[in-house]
Each structure stands twice: as structure tokens, then as C-alpha cells.
Amino acid sequence: MALNKKQIEEAGIASLKQYLLDSPYIDSDLPSNDKTPSFDGSLTIYTTPGLKKKNMKGIAAIQIKSTTNKSILKNRKFPVEVADLNNYFHQSGVIFFVIYVNPNNIRQTKIYYKDMLLFDIKEALKGKEAQQSIKLEFEKIDENVSDFRLVLENFLYHQDFQSKFSLQHVQEKEPTNFVMKWIGEKGNQMKYMQKHSMFLYTVDGNLPIPVKRIKPEELQFFTKTEEESVVLNTKNSIKFSGKKTIINNSIIEILFGQYNENYLEVNTDNRTVQFRTNLKGDIDNILNCLIFMDDLNKNGSLYIDGHDLSSIEATNSEASGSFGSYEEALNFFKDLKTILSDNHIPLNINFFELPDKDIQQLNDLVNNYIFPGEDRLMKYEFAGYILPILTVNKNVMNIFDDNIVN
């Protein structure tokens, strides 16, 4: 026997009522044969069990559509009338339920929902305002009603942030700062985040403006240990102190160096290591970082807390700065250290903090030693030092050197 429209509707409402009865925090008002335009009752949420009015948290307007059409089972899509969407927008949103009723057994139902806030409705209507209806995608309801209760609480939570004014607000500049807001179960807020979509907001002054609803599949979840002290070195480098964290039990991240300028990532799954450095500090500190990198690249040499990881392959090691490669930087600073030491100039020069003209002077100084030109007397000024250099017959020397004076 075919079901009539009223039977289908009542079967759907009955199944939703039965589902919600398992939560002592939710009171449902789902009248049968409701003739209210666009809405079919409401759900009242309470902060504690017992449904006492002093503990009422809020009321969510709802719409229920019962159907025997199996298409909702296949693609979770259902047409919603544009006129209804406009009404939901004017009433600050709706929880829309689509309930599949098995025509052969009306007690077999499947419940789908879509929590539609102002941002969702505006996005759904964009460019489709002239249509009669719009097919929207729905979610299967949570198996446990206590999990679905968080969906309702988040709906009420975001209603406070999403106003018609915030949606119409136009920023003068492209937003750069974003914040994700959601309510989760105390002690396990990630649980909600892994199963349900959330809103990303930008903030203009004190006004939160919704910019995107993010689905769980668009996020990457990882575990991260607390920081631990660690010592690492290579065969030819000094020992560095740093801080280690482990991500997803397989990626070791270490920040180390005098200025935390070095970053090391060891992936124990694919047995690779990546190293980056910002090259800060004095000449010796810069050289120490470059020697570490050189050993890592050429010899595969690496020790972490004394454990030999030499079998791990180094990839994507790079140094920042004005050099074409780390080898070029290493050779330059080796030569610079030798020149400065031979001329009794301290090595406590913070090379990358010098003004451009001083850096150019040091570049010219090194080039003059490596590629002596014509006979001449040159004066190099950098970091408060003056170094007079004489070139004679391809010999480069400091005119104040004791051997030259004698």
C-alpha cells in the first residue's frame, strides 16, 4: 500500500522525535501537520539535564522534510526552495532536516540535516536568487545524539557572531588575520572538529566577519609532543643545543643555534632530513651553521643526543642570505675568517646586520685576496674598522703588518 503525504510526514517526525528523546539536554517542539510557512517547530537546548527554564541555552528554528525518494541516500542532496532560504535568512538561520522514510517499512528511516546560518544561506543564494529551488548537500545525523547536541550548540554559538551587518561589512584591505571558532566537548574539543565543519572568521576591530565554512576533510590533524632539550652535531661540527618536538610519532622537529636560527626536520618514515638556517650572528656562528650543513649534505653525518643517524638522507638543505648556494657562503666565510684573523680584526662582526655598504666592502676585500689585481693601495672600511691593503706583484698585504714595516 502506497503511503500518503501525511503518513510520510508523520513517520519522519516520529523518527526525529525518537532520536532526540535520548538527549536530556534537548526539548523538541515538532507539531504534526504544521502549516507555518518555511518552519516546522523548534529545538530548545539546555545547559543541564532536566529541561528547567532557568537553564535554557537557546532555541533553534527547524524545518523538516520527509521523503521516500532514494536520491537523498545516494548523493545526500535535496532541493530547498529559494523563498524558504530567504525566510531562513531573515530569521537568523535554520536547522533543516531531511528524513528518508522506507515506503515498505515506515519505521525504517534515515535522518540528514543541514545547519544553515546566515553565511551558509548567503553563499547558497549567490547567483541563484532567481531560481525556484537550489539543491543543497546534507550531512548524515550523528549516530549518538550527544554528539549532535554539539551541532545545535554551535549553531546557537555562531548565531551570535553572524549578523546581516557583519555579512555586508566590506573591509578596506584584504584580511590577513583569521580565527576559527567552535564549541567542543570539554577535554576533547578536537572530537567535534574532526567530524563537523567549522567557521573561519576575520576580525575587523571587534567585529567578527565569517569568510569560510571549513569541512573536516580540508584540515590536517596531527599530534605534537612537548618540547624537550636535545644536543646535536655532525662529524666536523660543534655540538649545538636545541629544542625537540615529535609530530605524529614520525617527524622530529628541532630548533637550535644561538638565535634558534636553525631548523632540522627528521622524517623517520621515509628516512630523510631537511635543514634550513637563517645565518645570524658573528663570523664563527655563521661558519658553524654552514659546516653543519656541509657535513649533512656531503657526508650524511648527523648525531642527535649521541644517536648516529648517518643512514638518513639529507634533502632540501638551504641557507638564507645573499649567496647563490651554501657552498659559496661556506667558502666566503672561511676566506673572510682567515683574512680578518691574519689582520688581527675580531670575528665578532654580525655580518648580516651590517649596512649594505659594509657588506660590499667585505665582499671586495675577499675578492681582492682571491683574485689580486693590479698594484694598488686600497682602504676597506667596515663595522668601525679600517683596513689598508697593498697589492704588489699579486701579493696582498696589510701595510701595517709587522713584516711589511720591517
Side-chain angles (χ1 to χ4, degrees):
M1 183 179 69
L3 300 175
N4 60 43
K5 187 176 179 180
K6 184 179 179 183
Q7 288 175 312
I8 296 170
E9 177 189 313
E10 290 185 347
I13 292 173
S15 69
L16 181 58
K17 279 184 175 179
Q18 187 63 43
Y19 172 80
L20 295 171
L21 277 175
D22 285 338
S23 174
Y25 297 88
I26 303 172
D27 185 26
S28 62
D29 179 20
L30 313 179
S32 298
N33 201 29
D34 185 31
K35 301 300 182 183
T36 306
S38 302
F39 296 94
D40 289 319
S42 61
L43 300 179
T44 304
I45 320 298
Y46 293 83
T47 57
T48 59
L51 310 183
K52 293 182 179 180
K53 62 182 179 180
K54 67 177 183 179
N55 299 323
M56 193 172 80
K57 197 168 189 176
I59 300 175
I62 67 168
Q63 169 75 297
I64 304 171
K65 293 292 184 182
S66 300
T67 181
T68 56
N69 191 327
K70 288 186 176 180
S71 64
I72 184 68
L73 303 178
K74 296 176 183 178
N75 54 30
R76 303 206 313 270
K77 290 187 176 181
F78 191 83
V80 180
E81 290 185 21
V82 167
D84 286 332
L85 287 171
N86 284 318
N87 289 338
Y88 303 149
F89 188 85
H90 295 312
Q91 295 300 317
S92 298
V94 71
I95 306 286
F96 196 115
F97 293 96
V98 177
I99 304 171
Y100 170 76
V101 178
N102 186 339
N104 300 316
N105 185 348
I106 61 173
R107 288 177 176 81
Q108 288 184 359
T109 59
K110 291 189 182 297
I111 305 172
Y112 298 83
Y113 76 93
K114 189 171 185 64
D115 51 327
M116 285 190 273
L117 287 148
L118 295 191
F119 178 85
D120 303 306
I121 299 168
K122 184 179 178 182
E123 289 293 300
L125 287 170
K126 194 179 291 182
K128 300 177 182 178
E129 296 86 352
Q131 294 182 195
Q132 286 291 110
S133 65
I134 302 171
K135 274 198 172 183
L136 300 178
E137 189 172 323
F138 287 72
E139 300 292 329
K140 286 184 81 170
I141 205 159
D142 289 284
E143 186 174 333
N144 194 319
V145 70
S146 64
D147 292 333
F148 180 70
R149 175 168 64 92
L150 285 175
V151 174
L152 301 181
E153 290 186 357
N154 272 277
F155 177 83
L156 296 173
Y157 175 72
H158 287 288
Q159 272 188 329
D160 292 336
F161 293 111
Q162 296 188 20
S163 65
K164 294 174 184 177
F165 176 76
S166 70
L167 289 174
Q168 294 166 355
H169 187 76
V170 178
Q171 289 188 305
E172 293 182 2
K173 296 180 181 178
E174 190 74 20
T176 55
N177 295 319
F178 300 92
V179 62
M180 196 178 290
K181 294 178 176 288
W182 83 98
I183 297 174
E185 182 183 348
K186 286 184 178 178
N188 191 13
Q189 287 194 324
M190 294 293 290
K191 181 180 176 183
Y192 180 86
M193 194 175 183
Q194 291 170 324
K195 293 176 64 177
H196 303 97
S197 57
M198 291 158 301
F199 280 99
L200 190 68
Y201 292 86
T202 184
V203 180
D204 191 341
N206 293 321
L207 179 67
I209 304 166
V211 293
K212 183 179 171 75
R213 187 190 271 263
I214 299 175
K215 296 180 179 179
E217 56 267 28
E218 296 178 275
L219 298 172
Q220 289 185 333
F221 298 94
F222 59 88
T223 59
K224 189 172 184 178
T225 63
E226 295 290 329
E227 284 188 343
E228 296 180 15
S229 296
V230 67
V231 175
L232 68 165
N233 63 288
T234 62
K235 182 178 180 181
N236 298 307
S237 79
I238 65 167
K239 289 186 176 180
F240 293 90
S241 295
K243 295 291 184 181
K244 173 183 74 174
T245 55
I246 300 175
I247 299 173
N248 288 345
N249 299 318
S250 62
I251 297 176
I252 304 170
E253 287 188 339
I254 302 174
L255 281 177
F256 65 97
Q258 187 175 352
Y259 306 93
N260 281 333
E261 71 272 34
N262 302 310
Y263 170 82
L264 186 78
E265 179 187 293
V266 179
N267 190 317
T268 56
D269 282 347
N270 58 25
R271 302 188 63 75
T272 58
V273 56
Q274 297 183 37
F275 175 74
R276 295 193 298 274
T277 177
N278 287 326
L279 295 181
K280 293 183 178 180
D282 60 26
I283 306 300
D284 275 330
N285 191 67
I286 292 171
L287 267 173
N288 287 334
C289 297
L290 291 168
I291 290 169
F292 182 97
M293 178 181 282
D294 193 51
D295 257 11
L296 196 62
N297 279 335
K298 293 182 178 177
N299 304 317
S301 169
L302 178 62
Y303 301 89
I304 299 179
D305 283 337
H307 299 292
D308 188 354
L309 298 177
S310 300
S311 60
I312 291 182
E313 179 184 356
T315 59
N316 299 329
S317 293
E318 58 186 43
S320 62
S322 55
F323 297 90
S325 65
Y326 87 87
E327 292 101 332
E328 182 184 323
L330 177 61
N331 291 329
F332 173 83
F333 284 104
K334 281 182 176 178
D335 292 333
L336 181 59
K337 179 177 180 178
T338 300
I339 294 166
L340 296 180
S341 298
D342 288 350
N343 288 285
H344 312 294
I345 293 178
L347 300 176
N348 61 351
I349 297 172
N350 288 320
F351 184 87
F352 289 105
E353 293 182 10
L354 293 174
D356 290 343
K357 62 181 181 61
D358 287 20
I359 291 177
Q360 187 59 52
Q361 285 280 287
L362 288 169
N363 273 291
D364 292 344
L365 173 63
V366 172
N367 285 331
N368 191 32
Y369 266 82
I370 297 174
F371 306 108
E374 59 186 22
D375 294 351
R376 58 180 173 171
L377 175 64
M378 290 292 296
K379 182 173 70 173
Y380 297 94
E381 299 183 45
F382 52 88
Y385 299 98
I386 298 176
L387 183 59
I389 294 296
L390 179 65
T391 303
V392 179
N393 295 328
K394 305 299 181 183
N395 294 306
V396 183
M397 62 205 89
N398 181 347
I399 63 171
F400 293 117
D401 185 83
D402 291 342
N403 293 328
I404 302 301
V405 173
N406 292 335

